[in-house]
């Protein structure tokens, strides 16, 4: 009798849970799943989730998370949202991880992923992804998530890149070299434009957008130990060449002097909408922004191409994006984190937000990425390079921003500015 009663209660509980799973609102801004689920995982996330500020994305993620938790009814996922101060959030999470207090699963900025790998706080995700899936990752992504032991320690699910936008009515052919870009910019001025625009103000975008010119020559900011090397030897020569390229654009009039104060991609959209520029260095995400900002007949005049290099064969582009990683000592929670990555972020979230996938095959899987524009972005990603994850990078970026201002305004020669930047960086490095 007791056994029959227990069986009946168990069956009733399962039926009630199943019914509740169907009827209840399983996804809120801070929890996914039933509050009394037997297992719990904490997931710290960015706005790429049900708490997105964009109502369309929030609804899309709510559907994805709802479908996910119905496949795992004995789990609840506590959602912790990061603030907009990503640098501070990532630094805090690294310290928590070192102290054993990190969330079980979390979004890690690809920019700082090497710091987490170096600290040894991430759990291997290799058992949960096939070698074929890993092989489909773009090279810079595969290298970024792989540890010294060959295991992968995060899944890098979205990325971006920098390209050259042009009004093809003014600039019909894509410049492939620095000299061709300078010539195109000067020619555009004769048609009433202000030349090539790029970030040159005190801003991370200034450093990141410019670095492709250094990387295209094979330059390195730091060595394998994380020590700055951009101011010495062959790297110094390449660095100066890239700095002189930007300086020449301004002094020749191919770029307006005001680029030294630009620190916002929105300025380029505004210039395109006002019809004052035909060329600018921007991010891939700006294509959709131009489409929504410009009148259809004006947007039809705009296109993009890979960033020019010192030669047509020397190309590079800065790439960023987000990963998801696990910090848990519980294998079941590591597996649940991998399940979440696979079911929500590895493809579905890319399609929802039109964020570029990091796997080449996903561009054929989702219709949104089959467009000529997204296929061109995917092709350009072959030349992608991420920022070094060395602890000194933020100071390197800071010094490059200062240097760029000094050079573009003529306050210092490129040599003087580079020497000052490298000296300040090394002083900071010695204090680490």
């Amino acid at each position: 009798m007791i056994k029959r009663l227990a069986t009946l209660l168990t069956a009733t509980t399962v039926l009630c849970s199943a019914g509740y799973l169907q009827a209840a609102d399983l996804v809120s801004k801070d929890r996914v799943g039933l509050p009394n689920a037997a297992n719990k995982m904490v997931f710290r996330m960015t706005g790429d989730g049900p708490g997105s500020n964009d109502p369309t994305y929030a609804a899309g993620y709510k559907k994805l998370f709802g479908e996910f938790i119905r496949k795992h009814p004995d789990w609840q996922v506590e959602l912790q949202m990061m603030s907009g101060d990503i640098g501070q959030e990532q630094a805090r999470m690294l310290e928590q991880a070192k102290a054993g207090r990190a969330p079980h699963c979390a979004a890690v900025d690809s920019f700082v992923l090497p710091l987490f790998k170096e600290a040894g706080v991430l759990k291997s995700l290799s058992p949960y992804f096939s070698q074929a899936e890993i092989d489909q990752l773009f090279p810079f992504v595969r290298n970024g998530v792989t540890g010294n032991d060959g295991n992968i320690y995060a899944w890098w699910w979205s990325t971006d890149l920098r390209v050259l936008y042009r009004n093809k009515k003014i600039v019909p052919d894509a410049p492939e070299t620095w000299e061709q870009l300078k010539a195109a910019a000067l020619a555009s001025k004769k048609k009433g434009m202000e030349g090539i625009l790029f970030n040159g103000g005190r801003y991370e975008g200034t450093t990141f957008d410019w670095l492709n010119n250094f990387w295209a020559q094979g330059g390195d900011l730091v060595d394998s130990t994380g020590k700055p090397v951009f101011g010495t030897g062959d790297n110094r020569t390449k660095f100066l060449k890239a700095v002189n390229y930007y300086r020449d654009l301004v002094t020749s009039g191919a770029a307006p002097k005001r680029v030294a104060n630009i620190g916002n991609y929105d300025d380029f959209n505004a210039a395109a909408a006002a019809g004052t520029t035909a060329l600018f260095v921007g991010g891939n995400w700006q294509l959709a922004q131009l489409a929504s900002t410009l009148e259809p007949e004006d947007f039809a005049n705009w296109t993009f191409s890979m960033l020019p290099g010192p030669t047509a064969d020397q190309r590079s582009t800065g790439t960023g994006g987000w990963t998801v990683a696990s910090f848990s000592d519980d294998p079941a929670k590591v597996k649940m984190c991998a399940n979440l990555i696979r079911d929500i972020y590895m493809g579905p979230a890319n399609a929802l937000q039109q964020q570029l996938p990091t796997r080449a095959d996903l561009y054929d899987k989702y219709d949104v990425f089959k467009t000529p524009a997204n296929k061109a972005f995917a092709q350009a990603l072959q030349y992608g390079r991420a920022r070094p994850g060395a602890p000194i990078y933020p100071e390197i970026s800071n010094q490059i921003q200062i240097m760029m201002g000094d050079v573009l305004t003529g306050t210092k020669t490129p040599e003087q500015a580079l020497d000052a930047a490298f000296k300040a960086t090394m002083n900071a490095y010695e204090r680490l």
Side-chain angles (χ1 to χ4, degrees), residues 82-274:
M82 296 182 191
S83 71
D85 190 343
I86 296 302
Q88 187 179 59
E89 289 280 1
Q90 297 287 296
R92 179 170 68 98
M93 191 163 68
L94 180 57
E95 292 307 311
Q96 289 177 330
K98 289 177 178 177
R101 296 184 285 103
H104 306 125
C105 185
V108 177
D109 197 328
S110 61
F111 159 47
V112 295
L113 181 62
L115 301 182
F116 285 80
K117 286 196 303 182
E118 184 177 312
V121 294
L122 302 177
K123 305 304 177 185
S124 172
L125 295 178
S126 290
Y128 311 107
F129 295 92
S130 71
Q131 191 58 50
E133 290 170 332
I134 296 170
D135 288 345
Q136 282 291 330
L137 292 170
F138 292 115
F140 74 92
V141 173
R142 189 165 55 248
N143 292 338
V145 299
T146 303
N148 293 332
D149 60 0
N151 287 316
I152 62 169
Y153 286 91
W155 192 257
W156 191 333
W157 66 275
S158 71
T159 189
D160 52 31
L161 73 156
R162 275 67 186 161
V163 295
L164 176 67
Y165 285 94
R166 77 179 194 278
N167 183 326
K168 55 190 176 185
K169 191 175 178 180
I170 307 294
V171 183
D173 301 317
E176 295 191 4
T177 67
W178 293 352
E179 282 301 314
Q180 290 177 7
L181 176 60
K182 177 182 173 182
L186 290 171
S188 76
K189 290 189 67 177
K190 294 179 180 178
K191 298 179 181 180
M193 302 290 112
E194 59 177 339
I196 174 74
L197 299 182
F198 51 81
N199 280 310
R202 190 78 182 270
Y203 166 59
E204 168 63 16
T206 290
T207 297
F208 197 30
D209 294 358
W210 169 83
L211 276 174
N212 78 87
N213 302 300
F214 177 55
W215 286 334
Q217 304 171 66
D220 290 311
L221 293 173
V222 299
D223 65 15
S224 59
T225 67
K227 181 180 179 181
V229 294
F230 64 88
T232 60
D234 191 42
N235 285 310
R236 175 184 168 83
T237 302
K238 294 170 180 174
F239 198 95
L240 279 174
K241 186 175 180 179
V243 174
N244 275 307
Y245 163 52
Y246 260 31
R247 177 175 177 270
D248 182 51
L249 288 176
V250 174
T251 57
S252 68
K257 292 181 180 178
R258 78 179 184 94
V259 295
N261 296 314
I262 295 179
N264 191 326
Y265 294 100
D266 292 343
D267 285 3
F268 309 144
N269 295 340

Side-chain angles (χ1 to χ4, degrees), residues 46-49 52 57 61 157-160 284-285 320-322 345 347-359 362-363 366 368-369 374 377 381:
T46 64
D48 300 319
S52 171
Y57 295 159
Y61 274 112
W157 66 275
S158 71
T159 189
D160 52 31
N284 65 288
W285 63 89
W322 281 93
Y345 289 99
N350 297 108
L352 171 65
Q353 292 190 264
Q354 296 193 41
Q355 292 196 21
L356 295 178
T358 55
R359 275 175 51 184
L362 292 182
Y363 287 82
Y366 295 97
V368 70
F369 296 118
N374 278 327
F377 287 139
L381 281 173

